[in-house]
Amino acid sequence: MDKPNTLIAFAVTSVLAAGTAAADNAAGVDTSGWECESCPFQTDYEAEAEIGVLYVDEDSAKYGEYNGLDQKGAYADVNANGGSRNESGTYYRYDMRDLGLDTREAEFVFGKEGMVEATLSYDELPHRIWDTTVTPYQRSGKDTLVLPSGWIPAGSTGGMTALAGSLSNVDIGTDRTTIGAGLDYLFGSNLKLFADFSRQEIEGRKLGSANFLFSSLQLPEPVDAAHDQIEIGATYRWKSGFTRLAWYGSIYDNALTGMTFDNPYVPIASDTVQGRKALAPDNKAQTYSLDGNFLLPWWQGVVSYRLAEGTMDQDESFLPFSTSAGLSATAMLPRSNLAGDVSTSHYRATLSLKPHPRIRARVGYRYDERDDGTRPFTSAFVDDDSLPAPAATSLRYGYERTLYDGFGEVKVLDWLYLGLGGEFDEIDRSNQASKQTQEEGSYVQVRMRPWSSIELSGRYGQSHIDAGDYVVTPGLPPENPLLRKFNQTNRDRDYSEVRVGWSPWKLSIALEGTYAFDAYRLSPLGLRSGRDYRYAGTVSWPVSEKTSVYLSGSYQNIATEQAGEEVFPSTANLWLVTHEDEFTTAGGGIVWNDVAGKVDVTLDYTYAKSRGLVDTVASPQSSAGAFPKLETELNSLRLSASYDVNERLRVGAGWTWEDYDSSDWQIAGVGPSTLPNVLSMSPDPYQYSVNVVGVSFSYRFGKSSAAEE
Amino acid sequence: MTKWNWPAIGALWLFVGLVPAMAAAEEETAAEAPAYSKSGADTCLNCHGDNPVVMGIFRTRHAQPGDPRTPFGHGQLQCEACHGPGGAHTKRPKKGEERTPVVQFGRGKASTIGEQNQMCLGCHNSNLGNWHVSAHDDNEVGCADCHDSHDPRDPVRQKATQAEVCKTCHQLKVADSLLPFAHPLHEGQMACTSCHSPHGSPADASLKRDTVNETCYTCHADKRGPFLWEHQPVTEDCTLCHKPHGSAQAGMLKQRPPFLCQQCHGAQGHPSVPGLPAGLPGGGAPSAYLLASGCANCHSQVHGSNHPSGARLTR
């Protein structure tokens, strides 16, 4: 039986097993006299529109990273929402935000109650990354970068005498636009057909890189792609469960197959004055799925299930081996495209039971498979548009994952719950050093509410991964046999977490803490250990009905230790790196509503600081030691106020001040020619201090809320 | 690590937990089926009709008289569809007695979380097919802990405000959105539900799609491939290298190159050369393995390459 037929057979079985369809008003109450005469259902047009202006006083890609306010200047602040419904149940709603900004979005919903609903949406998301980057490259086309006509190639960046005079600023970032459409159609109360479509269009530049053997360059890599996704299906609701059958399709369409760039270095092969790299290929994926659950007639049992079968395909035509005709001729493509063909399977079934009012339990099974059926590709190739290279074979990677898990909890006392859970997780991989890893994990969980104002919960668990034999794939240069990939080696993990909710007097206090420690006991080299502890807390205080205050903070500390060996086997060349990353946040705010019945005020402050310490031990120790600290610090203050001129008109004003400072040794002081063999785009560590002020007017249309009341 | 004796812990749990629980079984008695009100919502609104919070329900999807699936649909139980039979609640209490409560929603209310959730699941089972196996159900989270069903703009259903609701419990995860490199959660341009299904899912961490990677591909389909030359961890799990809630390293990486790469790659030659402070600018020999993009200065195609000469993930 092939896989789609399996799904259909299971769907039919589900239908037969689930029984008859549900009836309206399951309680069987005669509500014929329940007129709902005092129910103020919407019957008119109601809306609110806001128009205003924002002013930003400094250019900063980082501040504008996701809000689009990256340029100094004025921006229109336009928002609107509204809708209407008539007594026949036909309605529409719309919600439009940030229409004057690069984050503009809009959603329109219309339909008829109990029958159909359609949705249209539009959403823009900017991603500003760098505005301090420079490049000597000029664009002769979207996917072709050329050097200026007077460029003088050299063996290293220091010899590129035309470099300084050729640099120009280029911003790095993308814009993502998403349009969507959805439709829900109801046949009666129990059958729903649904369809959702979305199209993402992504354009811009990211900071890419490329190389000619041991000389490399950073470059503005073009992005111009679209991603269409569609999901259609049907859901049927039974008296004792539901069944959903769906199909999901995804098509990624990249307008750019590859990009070429002039070689700024003296070519190794005489005719490789250009290099070419491939960009993400067009690809497709689809998934058929069957979901549902059965509500069992005993022990409040629920069986949930999901069966999903999918494929991922890719057949983009290959680029030539090299820009060099001579080098390309040294090898022959075995085929014109990959004909990539991956199938995926996901099966999940769980049973949850409450055999007693004080006992609940669940057990589950899951199976995931990624089966790469692509024919292997073996060919000689050209190394970085520079030299012929011997044949290599593209390994195909797949895995099968089988997971069993369970959890049980007992209400020991009215205020005390004890839980116990565990799982067994087995992953079989193809073409990897460890063919199989098995993870066994268990945890205990306690929840208690000793007094009505306090809730505590805690969990402690352990897990152990057994990776079996670890066989290093032969290759040149040889991989160090003492180094084990951290996802394929033995690991012991301890973890715990605690949560407290406490409401003394009018305060509300929430505390959270977690701890985890990983030991990679069979890994003399590579990642050897990791430790992570975090805690956070929030205190909220509703001072009065109109005023509330909050304070919050968090701290996390993550440390890892890894080792390597420059020449092996030789412990004299052992090196050790420890990392410790700290992250602290703090914040506070006050909300003051209805001041004099007219004014709302909000003040909010956020602080975030990260610090990274990298320490090294190596031989000779004079070259090792600690790196400079990696630091970022954010201070953000937001003040907003609004005044109700009357019940329809409101005036708002706001001010945001945000200051950001960072230091990063990986990019600080790295100019275009600092590294002899990397032509850098020289981004600077982020720094800004931005003020944004704004004023707006909003107006309510339609029936006023006062009239309703 | 001291490895615990989990079978013994299981036995102890059964003894400590099940014995008192079974002993308490006799305390549990079936309640008598209560009566509904005389006129439905009209009865309720006699007292609650001047409360704007209560009246917000009439601008929500729960109040669609034309949809028989909703509480205010034709023939349905109106307020009592969610709050349960209100017959006793509408009766004047005797002197010195409390009014009989209906089902109330929210933490610390007279109704247990189980009772509250049962009211919601009675209608929403088909939307919440995996609720019974979710981490939220394991921890007895109430629907009303997150949802305000009377609010026409329920904050947890708004992209811009959802994270603040999730932060009530997941403070650490939401704090991560303030890290230097993070998805735009803090800016309100993305919601927790862009990736997670808080009502449960078959996947790890209640993800919306079947695996981590399939969830990431909904926005990052350029990483999906299959590529001619693949990088094994990329095909297995994006979170082997990335921290999706935020990171101090560019690209939301767990660690910056070369250190991240050297956790798996240590072949003789340049992959095993340590990144040391001597390789910084001003140190005499600034290192291309350490600075700018580190390993990715050359191996820029870490997500896979479709170039026939991309065997080393450089093309």
Side-chain angles (χ1 to χ4, degrees):
Chain A
M1 184 182 282
D2 61 23
K3 285 169 176 174
N5 283 345
T6 308
L7 291 186
I8 292 166
F10 196 86
V12 171
T13 309
S14 303
V15 168
L16 294 174
T20 55
D24 291 344
N25 182 356
V29 176
D30 177 10
T31 58
S32 56
W34 293 18
E35 300 293 339
C36 218
E37 288 173 338
S38 51
C39 301
F41 297 110
Q42 183 181 356
T43 53
D44 289 309
Y45 177 67
E46 296 170 5
E48 184 170 1
E50 180 182 22
I51 186 162
V53 63
L54 297 172
Y55 179 78
V56 180
D57 74 342
E58 185 179 312
D59 294 344
S60 170
K62 184 63 175 172
Y63 177 72
E65 183 176 11
Y66 289 121
N67 61 27
L69 301 174
D70 56 309
Q71 301 283 327
K72 178 180 178 178
Y75 296 81
D77 179 16
V78 183
N79 305 282
N81 67 77
S84 179
R85 175 188 173 277
N86 63 29
E87 290 187 354
S88 69
T90 304
Y91 61 90
Y92 69 88
R93 297 190 300 273
Y94 60 87
D95 193 355
M96 298 183 284
R97 297 182 190 204
D98 297 345
L99 296 184
L101 308 179
D102 287 348
T103 51
R104 61 186 60 82
E105 60 182 298
E107 183 182 67
F108 301 88
V109 180
F110 46 97
K112 184 170 174 56
E113 290 172 2
M115 182 187 289
V116 63
E117 180 172 284
T119 306
L120 297 172
S121 62
Y122 178 90
D123 187 12
E124 289 183 20
L125 177 64
H127 188 196
R128 311 285 180 245
I129 302 173
W130 298 107
D131 58 0
T132 55
T133 32
V134 294
T135 183
Y137 281 103
Q138 302 166 345
R139 299 168 70 209
S140 66
K142 255 187 169 176
D143 52 358
T144 305
L145 300 180
V146 296
L147 289 164
S149 54
W151 185 261
I152 300 166
S156 68
T157 56
M160 296 173 183
T161 51
L163 176 59
S166 305
L167 294 173
S168 58
N169 285 88
V170 58
D171 290 348
I172 299 296
T174 56
D175 287 286
R176 181 184 297 251
T177 302
T178 305
I179 56 171
L183 182 70
D184 284 355
Y185 193 89
L186 292 164
F187 287 96
S189 293
N190 300 311
L191 178 62
K192 182 173 88 171
L193 305 182
F194 62 90
D196 287 298
F197 167 80
S198 73
R199 178 180 178 83
Q200 300 172 9
E201 293 180 352
I202 310 142
E203 290 189 354
R205 288 183 286 267
K206 62 181 183 180
L207 196 160
S209 53
N211 67 316
F212 294 89
L213 286 186
F214 296 110
S215 299
S216 72
L217 49 117
Q218 291 184 319
L219 41 73
E221 190 171 302
V223 178
D224 184 3
H227 182 203
D228 295 326
Q229 295 175 89
I230 186 166
E231 186 156 26
I232 57 174
T235 304
Y236 196 86
R237 188 172 65 143
W238 310 92
K239 186 177 180 182
S240 53
F242 79 96
T243 305
R244 176 167 45 225
L245 192 61
W247 174 79
Y248 165 79
S250 161
I251 300 172
Y252 176 77
D253 179 12
N254 193 345
L256 309 170
T257 307
M259 66 175 295
T260 58
F261 41 90
D262 282 358
N263 186 352
Y265 297 93
V266 175
I268 294 169
S270 59
D271 62 344
T272 52
V273 292
Q274 276 193 325
R276 183 191 291 121
K277 65 187 285 191
L279 298 177
D282 295 352
N283 63 78
K284 299 189 294 263
Q286 62 173 341
T287 304
Y288 298 92
S289 64
L290 178 70
D291 293 277
N293 69 14
F294 302 116
L295 307 180
L296 302 176
W298 31 265
W299 289 359
Q300 296 183 50
V302 182
V303 175
S304 303
Y305 59 87
R306 175 172 170 82
L307 296 91
E309 294 285 349
T311 58
M312 298 192 294
D313 305 311
Q314 191 267 104
D315 58 1
E316 180 80 56
S317 296
F318 287 140
L319 296 168
F321 280 109
S322 172
T323 54
S324 159
L327 287 169
S328 288
T330 61
M332 182 172 287
L333 280 170
R335 53 189 197 259
S336 61
N337 64 61
L338 180 64
D341 174 22
V342 174
S343 59
T344 57
S345 303
H346 309 288
Y347 309 134
R348 171 74 166 164
T350 54
L351 167 66
S352 67
L353 296 169
K354 290 183 180 166
H356 181 276
R358 286 174 174 265
I359 302 168
R360 61 200 186 108
R362 65 164 167 77
V363 291
Y365 164 80
R366 190 166 117 209
Y367 175 81
D368 295 305
E369 182 183 4
R370 181 188 196 271
D371 180 13
D372 193 339
T374 307
R375 277 185 299 134
F377 175 104
T378 301
S379 172
F381 62 99
V382 176
D383 236 347
D384 308 326
D385 290 302
S386 298
L387 293 172
T393 298
S394 67
L395 296 177
R396 309 316 303 173
Y397 302 119
Y399 65 85
E400 284 182 62
R401 182 184 183 197
T402 309
L403 174 81
Y404 301 92
D405 62 329
F407 174 71
E409 190 179 60
V410 175
K411 184 179 178 182
V412 180
L413 301 169
D414 284 344
W415 55 271
L416 177 65
Y417 296 77
L418 289 180
L420 187 66
E423 66 177 34
F424 176 79
D425 190 355
E426 181 179 281
I427 303 177
D428 293 286
R429 299 177 178 86
S430 57
N431 291 316
Q432 283 300 290
S434 169
K435 299 294 180 201
Q436 184 182 76
T437 56
Q438 292 183 334
E439 179 173 9
E440 295 172 359
S442 308
Y443 59 89
V444 288
Q445 177 175 297
V446 180
R447 294 191 296 124
M448 60 179 84
R449 194 185 180 100
W451 298 280
S452 61
S453 62
I454 295 186
E455 281 187 85
L456 298 102
S457 66
R459 176 182 285 197
Y460 172 75
Q462 295 184 333
S463 74
H464 172 76
I465 296 177
D466 183 350
D469 293 334
Y470 192 91
V471 181
V472 176
T473 309
L476 277 176
E479 186 59 76
N480 192 323
L482 298 177
L483 186 148
R484 295 186 167 213
K485 297 177 183 179
F486 61 85
N487 66 325
Q488 297 177 37
T489 187
N490 287 34
R491 187 197 69 193
D492 293 333
R493 169 172 288 179
D494 282 271
Y495 63 95
S496 56
E497 60 182 58
V498 177
R499 291 174 197 273
V500 179
W502 185 28
S503 308
W505 188 51
K506 288 166 67 179
L507 292 177
S508 174
I509 300 172
L511 304 171
E512 181 184 0
T514 65
Y515 173 84
F517 180 78
D518 291 345
Y520 299 87
R521 295 189 184 282
L522 296 184
S523 301
L525 303 180
L527 184 61
R528 303 209 296 195
S529 68
R531 192 259 302 130
D532 178 334
Y533 65 88
R534 309 168 185 227
Y535 44 84
T538 300
V539 180
S540 307
W541 181 30
V543 182
S544 68
E545 277 189 11
K546 297 177 179 177
T547 309
S548 62
V549 178
Y550 84 92
L551 288 170
S552 67
S554 71
Y555 175 78
Q556 60 177 266
N557 185 302
I558 303 169
T560 60
E561 180 186 286
Q562 67 182 93
E565 217 171 29
E566 192 167 352
V567 179
F568 54 85
S570 168
T571 51
N573 291 290
L574 187 75
W575 52 263
L576 192 71
V577 179
T578 56
H579 300 269
E580 184 178 9
D581 293 329
E582 288 182 300
F583 183 54
T584 308
T585 67
I590 181 168
V591 179
W592 199 5
N593 288 326
D594 246 3
V595 183
K598 293 277 188 181
V599 177
D600 294 341
V601 179
T602 303
L603 179 67
D604 194 70
Y605 170 71
T606 303
Y607 170 82
K609 181 181 175 77
S610 72
R611 193 175 66 144
L613 301 171
V614 183
D615 204 357
T616 62
V617 177
S619 178
Q621 184 56 30
S622 58
S623 64
F627 280 86
K629 284 178 191 166
L630 298 158
E631 289 186 308
T632 67
E633 184 170 321
L634 168 79
N635 283 279
S636 177
L637 183 69
R638 295 173 192 227
L639 173 65
S640 64
S642 64
Y643 173 74
D644 292 331
V645 178
N646 56 44
E647 66 179 32
R648 292 186 182 277
L649 179 64
R650 169 179 289 196
V651 181
W655 168 58
T656 298
W657 166 75
E658 194 160 295
D659 183 84
Y660 192 90
D661 196 9
S662 68
S663 60
D664 186 339
W665 48 256
Q666 196 159 34
I667 55 174
V670 180
S673 59
T674 301
L675 291 156
N677 56 343
V678 180
L679 176 54
S680 160
M681 288 185 71
S682 190
D684 293 329
Y686 295 117
Q687 271 180 334
Y688 65 80
S689 182
V690 172
N691 286 279
V692 181
V693 292
V695 62
S696 68
F697 299 87
S698 61
Y699 192 84
R700 285 185 195 169
F701 301 87
K703 186 190 284 187
S704 73
S705 55
E708 275 172 28
E709 291 165 21
Chain B
M1 179 178 85
T2 304
K3 195 171 179 189
W4 285 22
N5 186 339
W6 288 99
I9 291 169
L12 184 66
W13 173 74
L14 283 172
F15 181 77
V16 172
L18 285 181
V19 171
M22 299 306 284
E26 292 169 11
E27 297 169 14
E28 316 288 344
T29 53
E32 189 179 328
Y36 284 78
S37 68
K38 192 179 287 182
S39 305
D42 288 332
T43 308
C44 307
L45 296 180
N46 274 333
C47 295
H48 300 287
D50 59 351
N51 184 336
V53 174
V54 171
M55 300 306 275
I57 193 83
F58 293 104
R59 293 294 178 275
T60 72
R61 286 169 173 271
H62 279 125
Q64 294 198 346
D67 187 347
R69 300 170 307 157
T70 69
F72 288 86
H74 180 71
Q76 294 300 327
L77 297 168
Q78 301 172 2
C79 308
E80 291 159 90
C82 304
H83 291 282
H89 180 74
T90 61
K91 289 180 182 165
R92 189 187 299 275
K94 291 177 185 170
K95 200 171 182 180
E97 287 185 1
E98 295 275 322
R99 184 179 291 275
T100 306
V102 290
V103 174
Q104 296 172 328
F105 293 88
R107 204 140 279 258
K109 301 288 186 185
S111 308
T112 66
I113 296 297
E115 289 166 346
Q116 295 174 36
N117 288 359
Q118 203 51 46
M119 301 307 291
C120 306
L121 289 166
C123 292
H124 291 286
N125 176 54
S126 59
N127 307 101
L128 314 174
N130 290 289
W131 174 257
H132 302 280
V133 295
S134 68
H136 281 159
D137 188 45
D138 279 358
N139 289 285
E140 224 171 19
V141 174
C143 304
D145 289 340
C146 305
H147 289 284
D148 183 347
S149 58
H150 281 251
D151 188 341
R153 298 175 78 87
D154 184 3
V156 80
R157 292 174 59 84
Q158 309 294 319
K159 185 172 68 174
T161 52
Q162 185 185 79
E164 278 301 304
V165 180
C166 301
K167 186 184 171 186
T168 309
C169 295
H170 301 284
Q171 298 180 70
L172 287 165
K173 291 285 184 278
V174 176
D176 278 356
S177 68
L178 288 169
L179 276 157
F181 301 95
H183 282 116
L185 209 69
H186 177 64
E187 292 79 1
Q189 299 298 327
M190 195 172 164
C192 305
T193 52
S194 299
C195 301
H196 296 281
S197 176
H199 301 127
S201 88
D204 289 332
S206 289
L207 288 170
K208 284 178 82 169
R209 295 282 166 192
D210 289 298
T211 62
V212 169
N213 285 22
E214 288 179 23
T215 304
C216 301
Y217 296 152
T218 58
C219 291
H220 303 285
D222 54 318
K223 312 293 189 297
R224 182 167 56 200
F227 294 93
L228 168 55
W229 304 99
E230 299 211 308
H231 189 193
Q232 187 272 336
V234 177
T235 63
E236 183 174 316
D237 186 344
C238 304
T239 63
L240 289 170
C241 298
H242 294 279
K243 294 172 69 177
H245 293 113
S247 168
Q249 320 298 337
M252 285 189 267
L253 289 170
K254 283 181 161 177
Q255 196 48 263
R256 60 183 53 205
F259 310 115
L260 176 66
C261 310
Q262 289 176 323
Q263 292 178 356
C264 290
H265 300 284
Q268 211 158 70
H270 72 269
S272 59
V273 172
L276 300 173
L280 294 177
S287 169
Y289 304 143
L290 183 70
L291 300 172
S293 301
C295 306
N297 285 326
C298 297
H299 303 281
S300 57
Q301 304 281 51
V302 289
H303 294 109
S305 170
N306 208 52
H307 195 296
S309 292
R312 303 191 213 284
L313 303 182
T314 56
R315 278 292 184 268

